[in-house]
Short mmCIF file of all heavy atoms in Angstrom, two decimals:
data_model
loop_
_atom_site.label_atom_id
_atom_site.label_comp_id
_atom_site.label_asym_id
_atom_site.label_seq_id
_atom_site.Cartn_x
_atom_site.Cartn_y
_atom_site.Cartn_z
N LEU A 82 6.72 8.56 -20.46
CA LEU A 82 7.67 8.41 -19.39
C LEU A 82 7.05 7.75 -18.19
O LEU A 82 5.99 8.04 -17.74
CB LEU A 82 8.05 9.83 -18.95
CG LEU A 82 9.09 9.89 -17.80
CD1 LEU A 82 10.38 9.24 -18.08
CD2 LEU A 82 9.27 11.39 -17.36
N GLN A 83 7.78 6.63 -17.74
CA GLN A 83 7.22 5.88 -16.61
C GLN A 83 8.43 5.87 -15.66
O GLN A 83 9.62 5.63 -15.94
CB GLN A 83 7.11 4.38 -17.02
CG GLN A 83 6.02 4.27 -18.03
CD GLN A 83 4.58 4.66 -17.65
OE1 GLN A 83 4.30 4.10 -16.45
NE2 GLN A 83 3.94 5.34 -18.34
N VAL A 84 8.22 6.31 -14.37
CA VAL A 84 9.17 6.31 -13.40
C VAL A 84 8.75 5.58 -12.12
O VAL A 84 7.74 5.51 -11.71
CB VAL A 84 9.28 7.78 -12.85
CG1 VAL A 84 10.29 8.05 -11.68
CG2 VAL A 84 9.72 8.74 -13.99
N HIS A 85 9.74 4.78 -11.57
CA HIS A 85 9.52 3.96 -10.38
C HIS A 85 10.81 3.88 -9.50
O HIS A 85 11.83 3.95 -10.17
CB HIS A 85 9.02 2.60 -10.65
CG HIS A 85 9.76 1.73 -11.52
ND1 HIS A 85 9.88 1.86 -12.84
CD2 HIS A 85 10.71 0.76 -11.16
CE1 HIS A 85 10.77 1.03 -13.34
NE2 HIS A 85 11.31 0.30 -12.22
N ARG A 86 10.71 3.66 -8.32
CA ARG A 86 11.89 3.49 -7.37
C ARG A 86 12.48 2.14 -7.74
O ARG A 86 11.74 1.18 -7.82
CB ARG A 86 11.49 3.54 -5.94
CG ARG A 86 12.66 3.53 -4.94
CD ARG A 86 12.29 3.52 -3.47
NE ARG A 86 11.50 4.73 -3.12
CZ ARG A 86 12.04 5.86 -2.74
NH1 ARG A 86 13.38 5.96 -2.74
NH2 ARG A 86 11.27 6.91 -2.42
N ASP A 87 13.85 2.24 -7.88
CA ASP A 87 14.58 0.98 -8.05
C ASP A 87 15.00 0.30 -6.84
O ASP A 87 14.51 -0.68 -6.50
CB ASP A 87 15.73 1.38 -8.93
CG ASP A 87 16.39 0.04 -9.66
OD1 ASP A 87 15.87 -0.94 -9.53
OD2 ASP A 87 17.59 0.26 -10.16
N ARG A 88 15.83 1.09 -6.12
CA ARG A 88 16.33 0.53 -4.77
C ARG A 88 17.05 1.72 -3.98
O ARG A 88 17.75 2.54 -4.84
CB ARG A 88 17.27 -0.63 -4.87
CG ARG A 88 18.56 -0.37 -5.71
CD ARG A 88 19.33 -1.74 -5.99
NE ARG A 88 20.54 -1.36 -6.71
CZ ARG A 88 20.69 -1.04 -7.93
NH1 ARG A 88 19.61 -0.91 -8.75
NH2 ARG A 88 21.88 -0.74 -8.45
N GLY A 89 16.86 1.86 -2.84
CA GLY A 89 17.46 2.89 -2.03
C GLY A 89 17.21 4.30 -2.65
O GLY A 89 16.03 4.66 -2.85
N ASP A 90 18.16 5.07 -2.93
CA ASP A 90 18.08 6.33 -3.59
C ASP A 90 18.13 6.33 -5.09
O ASP A 90 18.05 7.35 -5.77
CB ASP A 90 19.26 7.23 -3.11
CG ASP A 90 19.18 7.52 -1.69
OD1 ASP A 90 18.09 7.73 -1.09
OD2 ASP A 90 20.30 7.58 -1.12
N LEU A 91 18.08 5.31 -5.69
CA LEU A 91 18.01 5.12 -7.20
C LEU A 91 16.56 4.97 -7.67
O LEU A 91 15.73 4.23 -7.17
CB LEU A 91 18.78 3.89 -7.67
CG LEU A 91 20.23 3.92 -7.31
CD1 LEU A 91 20.99 2.57 -7.79
CD2 LEU A 91 20.97 5.05 -7.80
N TRP A 92 16.35 5.67 -8.75
CA TRP A 92 15.00 5.68 -9.41
C TRP A 92 15.25 5.11 -10.95
O TRP A 92 16.34 5.41 -11.52
CB TRP A 92 14.40 7.04 -9.35
CG TRP A 92 13.88 7.39 -8.18
CD1 TRP A 92 14.70 7.94 -7.13
CD2 TRP A 92 12.57 7.35 -7.61
NE1 TRP A 92 13.93 8.14 -6.05
CE2 TRP A 92 12.62 7.87 -6.20
CE3 TRP A 92 11.43 6.90 -8.23
CZ2 TRP A 92 11.51 7.90 -5.55
CZ3 TRP A 92 10.23 7.01 -7.38
CH2 TRP A 92 10.32 7.48 -6.09
N ARG A 93 14.37 4.46 -11.52
CA ARG A 93 14.53 4.03 -12.86
C ARG A 93 13.37 4.61 -13.68
O ARG A 93 12.23 4.87 -13.26
CB ARG A 93 14.28 2.40 -12.84
CG ARG A 93 14.68 1.78 -14.14
CD ARG A 93 15.85 1.13 -13.89
NE ARG A 93 16.30 0.30 -14.99
CZ ARG A 93 17.51 -0.10 -15.36
NH1 ARG A 93 18.43 0.50 -14.57
NH2 ARG A 93 17.70 -0.74 -16.28
N ALA A 94 13.74 5.03 -14.76
CA ALA A 94 12.72 5.64 -15.79
C ALA A 94 12.85 4.96 -17.22
O ALA A 94 13.90 4.66 -17.71
CB ALA A 94 12.97 7.15 -15.83
N ASP A 95 11.71 4.89 -17.81
CA ASP A 95 11.68 4.37 -19.16
C ASP A 95 10.82 5.36 -20.04
O ASP A 95 9.71 5.86 -19.50
CB ASP A 95 11.07 3.03 -19.32
CG ASP A 95 11.92 1.99 -18.59
OD1 ASP A 95 12.97 1.59 -19.13
OD2 ASP A 95 11.40 1.45 -17.55
N ALA A 96 11.26 5.52 -21.24
CA ALA A 96 10.48 6.56 -22.11
C ALA A 96 10.66 6.12 -23.56
O ALA A 96 11.75 5.58 -23.97
CB ALA A 96 10.85 7.93 -21.93
N HIS A 97 9.64 6.33 -24.40
CA HIS A 97 9.70 5.98 -25.78
C HIS A 97 10.27 7.26 -26.41
O HIS A 97 9.89 8.43 -26.06
CB HIS A 97 8.40 5.68 -26.31
CG HIS A 97 7.79 4.44 -25.82
ND1 HIS A 97 7.60 3.33 -26.63
CD2 HIS A 97 7.49 4.04 -24.62
CE1 HIS A 97 7.11 2.35 -25.85
NE2 HIS A 97 7.00 2.80 -24.67
N TYR A 98 10.94 7.21 -27.58
CA TYR A 98 11.36 8.33 -28.40
C TYR A 98 11.21 8.07 -29.92
O TYR A 98 11.37 6.83 -30.32
CB TYR A 98 12.73 8.77 -28.00
CG TYR A 98 13.87 7.89 -28.57
CD1 TYR A 98 14.47 8.11 -29.76
CD2 TYR A 98 14.37 6.76 -27.83
CE1 TYR A 98 15.49 7.31 -30.42
CE2 TYR A 98 15.46 5.98 -28.39
CZ TYR A 98 15.91 6.30 -29.65
OH TYR A 98 16.90 5.47 -30.13
N THR A 99 11.08 9.07 -30.57
CA THR A 99 11.17 9.06 -31.94
C THR A 99 12.24 10.10 -32.39
O THR A 99 12.47 11.09 -31.70
CB THR A 99 9.87 9.54 -32.74
OG1 THR A 99 9.46 10.78 -32.29
CG2 THR A 99 8.74 8.52 -32.48
N ARG A 100 12.99 9.75 -33.42
CA ARG A 100 14.08 10.67 -33.84
C ARG A 100 13.78 10.92 -35.42
O ARG A 100 13.50 10.13 -36.19
CB ARG A 100 15.38 10.03 -33.70
CG ARG A 100 16.60 10.79 -34.22
CD ARG A 100 17.96 10.12 -33.88
NE ARG A 100 19.05 10.76 -34.47
CZ ARG A 100 19.72 10.45 -35.48
NH1 ARG A 100 19.40 9.35 -36.13
NH2 ARG A 100 20.71 11.09 -35.81
N TRP A 101 13.73 12.22 -35.62
CA TRP A 101 13.52 12.85 -36.93
C TRP A 101 14.72 13.33 -37.53
O TRP A 101 15.47 14.00 -36.88
CB TRP A 101 12.53 13.91 -36.97
CG TRP A 101 11.20 13.45 -36.49
CD1 TRP A 101 10.83 13.33 -35.11
CD2 TRP A 101 10.03 13.04 -37.22
NE1 TRP A 101 9.43 12.81 -35.00
CE2 TRP A 101 8.90 12.73 -36.24
CE3 TRP A 101 9.73 12.94 -38.44
CZ2 TRP A 101 7.78 12.23 -36.67
CZ3 TRP A 101 8.60 12.55 -38.90
CH2 TRP A 101 7.50 12.16 -37.98
N ILE A 102 15.08 13.08 -38.69
CA ILE A 102 16.17 13.71 -39.53
C ILE A 102 15.55 14.76 -40.22
O ILE A 102 14.49 14.59 -41.01
CB ILE A 102 16.78 12.56 -40.42
CG1 ILE A 102 17.38 11.42 -39.62
CG2 ILE A 102 17.88 13.29 -41.33
CD1 ILE A 102 18.49 11.73 -38.79
N ILE A 103 16.17 15.86 -40.28
CA ILE A 103 15.73 17.08 -40.90
C ILE A 103 16.62 17.17 -42.19
O ILE A 103 17.77 17.80 -42.07
CB ILE A 103 15.80 18.42 -40.12
CG1 ILE A 103 15.31 18.10 -38.69
CG2 ILE A 103 15.12 19.45 -40.79
CD1 ILE A 103 13.87 17.65 -38.71
N ALA A 104 16.14 16.79 -43.35
CA ALA A 104 17.21 16.77 -44.45
C ALA A 104 16.41 16.89 -45.83
O ALA A 104 16.38 16.05 -46.60
CB ALA A 104 17.96 15.40 -44.47
N PRO A 105 16.00 18.03 -46.28
CA PRO A 105 15.58 19.33 -45.62
C PRO A 105 14.37 19.19 -44.91
O PRO A 105 14.06 19.89 -43.98
CB PRO A 105 15.67 20.33 -46.65
CG PRO A 105 15.17 19.53 -47.79
CD PRO A 105 15.80 18.20 -47.78
N ASP A 106 13.45 18.21 -45.32
CA ASP A 106 12.16 18.09 -44.55
C ASP A 106 12.34 16.97 -43.63
O ASP A 106 13.06 15.98 -43.68
CB ASP A 106 11.04 17.63 -45.66
CG ASP A 106 10.82 18.71 -46.68
OD1 ASP A 106 10.84 19.92 -46.20
OD2 ASP A 106 10.61 18.40 -47.81
N PRO A 107 11.49 16.98 -42.53
CA PRO A 107 11.57 15.89 -41.45
C PRO A 107 11.10 14.69 -41.99
O PRO A 107 10.17 14.40 -42.69
CB PRO A 107 10.56 16.47 -40.41
CG PRO A 107 10.22 17.85 -40.70
CD PRO A 107 10.50 18.11 -42.23
N VAL A 108 11.88 13.67 -41.68
CA VAL A 108 11.71 12.20 -42.01
C VAL A 108 11.93 11.39 -40.80
O VAL A 108 12.98 11.47 -40.15
CB VAL A 108 12.81 11.81 -43.05
CG1 VAL A 108 12.50 10.32 -43.42
CG2 VAL A 108 12.59 12.59 -44.48
N LEU A 109 10.98 10.63 -40.45
CA LEU A 109 10.99 9.67 -39.27
C LEU A 109 12.12 8.75 -39.44
O LEU A 109 12.26 8.12 -40.48
CB LEU A 109 9.78 9.03 -39.02
CG LEU A 109 9.84 8.02 -37.84
CD1 LEU A 109 9.96 8.82 -36.54
CD2 LEU A 109 8.43 7.29 -37.72
N HIS A 110 13.19 8.71 -38.60
CA HIS A 110 14.30 7.91 -38.82
C HIS A 110 14.42 6.70 -37.75
O HIS A 110 14.82 5.63 -38.04
CB HIS A 110 15.63 8.76 -38.66
CG HIS A 110 16.86 8.03 -39.06
ND1 HIS A 110 17.61 7.45 -38.05
CD2 HIS A 110 17.39 7.82 -40.18
CE1 HIS A 110 18.58 6.84 -38.59
NE2 HIS A 110 18.57 6.94 -39.98
N THR A 111 14.05 6.95 -36.58
CA THR A 111 14.31 5.97 -35.51
C THR A 111 13.19 5.96 -34.36
O THR A 111 12.61 6.95 -34.03
CB THR A 111 15.58 6.29 -34.75
OG1 THR A 111 16.63 6.49 -35.62
CG2 THR A 111 16.01 5.25 -33.71
N LEU A 112 12.83 4.79 -33.99
CA LEU A 112 11.91 4.61 -32.79
C LEU A 112 12.76 3.77 -31.72
O LEU A 112 13.42 2.92 -32.19
CB LEU A 112 10.59 3.75 -33.27
CG LEU A 112 9.80 4.36 -34.40
CD1 LEU A 112 8.75 3.34 -34.74
CD2 LEU A 112 9.16 5.70 -34.01
N GLY A 113 12.55 4.28 -30.60
CA GLY A 113 13.37 3.58 -29.52
C GLY A 113 12.82 3.78 -28.16
O GLY A 113 11.89 4.24 -27.98
N ARG A 114 13.79 3.52 -27.21
CA ARG A 114 13.32 3.58 -25.76
C ARG A 114 14.71 4.09 -25.08
O ARG A 114 15.73 3.59 -25.30
CB ARG A 114 12.97 2.16 -25.37
CG ARG A 114 12.63 2.09 -23.84
CD ARG A 114 12.33 0.59 -23.62
NE ARG A 114 12.00 0.54 -22.22
CZ ARG A 114 10.91 -0.13 -21.71
NH1 ARG A 114 10.11 -0.61 -22.59
NH2 ARG A 114 10.76 -0.19 -20.39
N TYR A 115 14.51 4.99 -24.15
CA TYR A 115 15.36 5.34 -23.20
C TYR A 115 15.12 4.65 -21.80
O TYR A 115 13.98 4.66 -21.36
CB TYR A 115 15.50 6.84 -22.91
CG TYR A 115 15.77 7.70 -24.02
CD1 TYR A 115 14.92 8.60 -24.65
CD2 TYR A 115 17.02 7.64 -24.63
CE1 TYR A 115 15.23 9.37 -25.65
CE2 TYR A 115 17.44 8.46 -25.64
CZ TYR A 115 16.52 9.43 -26.22
OH TYR A 115 16.94 10.21 -27.24
N THR A 116 16.25 4.18 -21.20
CA THR A 116 16.12 3.68 -19.76
C THR A 116 17.14 4.47 -18.97
O THR A 116 18.33 4.35 -19.33
CB THR A 116 16.39 2.19 -19.75
OG1 THR A 116 15.41 1.63 -20.50
CG2 THR A 116 16.14 1.79 -18.34
N LEU A 117 16.73 5.12 -17.99
CA LEU A 117 17.65 5.94 -17.14
C LEU A 117 17.59 5.35 -15.76
O LEU A 117 16.60 4.99 -15.23
CB LEU A 117 17.22 7.37 -17.00
CG LEU A 117 17.19 8.18 -18.31
CD1 LEU A 117 15.91 8.20 -19.01
CD2 LEU A 117 17.55 9.61 -17.86
N THR A 118 18.79 5.46 -15.01
CA THR A 118 18.90 5.32 -13.55
C THR A 118 19.37 6.54 -13.02
O THR A 118 20.35 7.11 -13.56
CB THR A 118 19.83 4.03 -13.17
OG1 THR A 118 19.36 2.79 -13.82
CG2 THR A 118 19.81 3.83 -11.66
N VAL A 119 18.58 7.07 -12.03
CA VAL A 119 18.91 8.47 -11.40
C VAL A 119 19.06 8.33 -9.95
O VAL A 119 18.26 7.55 -9.28
CB VAL A 119 17.76 9.39 -11.86
CG1 VAL A 119 17.89 10.72 -11.19
CG2 VAL A 119 17.62 9.47 -13.38
N ASP A 120 20.11 8.84 -9.43
CA ASP A 120 20.38 8.96 -8.03
C ASP A 120 19.66 10.04 -7.36
O ASP A 120 19.93 11.33 -7.81
CB ASP A 120 21.84 9.05 -7.82
CG ASP A 120 22.29 8.97 -6.34
OD1 ASP A 120 21.52 9.37 -5.55
OD2 ASP A 120 23.43 8.80 -6.13
N SER A 121 18.74 9.92 -6.48
CA SER A 121 17.93 11.04 -5.98
C SER A 121 18.77 11.88 -4.88
O SER A 121 18.25 12.85 -4.43
CB SER A 121 16.60 10.49 -5.34
OG SER A 121 16.87 9.62 -4.38
N GLU A 122 19.91 11.30 -4.49
CA GLU A 122 20.75 12.07 -3.59
C GLU A 122 21.38 13.31 -4.27
O GLU A 122 21.50 14.46 -3.68
CB GLU A 122 21.89 11.26 -3.00
CG GLU A 122 21.56 10.32 -1.92
CD GLU A 122 21.16 11.02 -0.76
OE1 GLU A 122 21.89 11.90 -0.19
OE2 GLU A 122 20.08 10.70 -0.14
N THR A 123 21.60 13.07 -5.53
CA THR A 123 22.33 14.24 -6.35
C THR A 123 21.46 14.66 -7.60
O THR A 123 21.86 15.62 -8.31
CB THR A 123 23.69 13.82 -6.91
OG1 THR A 123 23.48 12.57 -7.63
CG2 THR A 123 24.62 13.47 -5.75
N TRP A 124 20.41 13.93 -7.81
CA TRP A 124 19.64 14.01 -9.04
C TRP A 124 20.42 14.03 -10.27
O TRP A 124 20.46 14.99 -11.09
CB TRP A 124 18.65 15.26 -8.89
CG TRP A 124 17.53 15.09 -8.08
CD1 TRP A 124 17.43 15.73 -6.77
CD2 TRP A 124 16.53 14.03 -7.88
NE1 TRP A 124 16.39 15.27 -6.08
CE2 TRP A 124 15.82 14.19 -6.74
CE3 TRP A 124 16.30 13.02 -8.73
CZ2 TRP A 124 14.77 13.34 -6.47
CZ3 TRP A 124 15.13 12.23 -8.46
CH2 TRP A 124 14.43 12.31 -7.29
N SER A 125 21.20 13.13 -10.43
CA SER A 125 22.17 12.80 -11.44
C SER A 125 21.87 11.42 -12.11
O SER A 125 21.43 10.52 -11.45
CB SER A 125 23.59 12.99 -11.08
OG SER A 125 23.93 11.96 -10.23
#
Side-chain angles (χ1 to χ4, degrees):
L82 176 63
Q83 302 290 314
V84 175
H85 61 275
R86 188 181 296 275
D87 192 14
R88 62 191 182 284
D90 293 326
L91 298 179
W92 290 81
R93 193 102 169 154
D95 296 290
H97 296 243
Y98 75 90
T99 56
R100 180 174 175 255
W101 298 82
I102 300 294
I103 317 299
D106 295 324
V108 175
L109 181 61
H110 185 268
T111 310
L112 301 174
R114 178 182 178 133
Y115 294 119
T116 303
L117 296 91
T118 303
V119 174
D120 183 341
S121 63
E122 284 290 310
T123 58
W124 292 115
S125 60

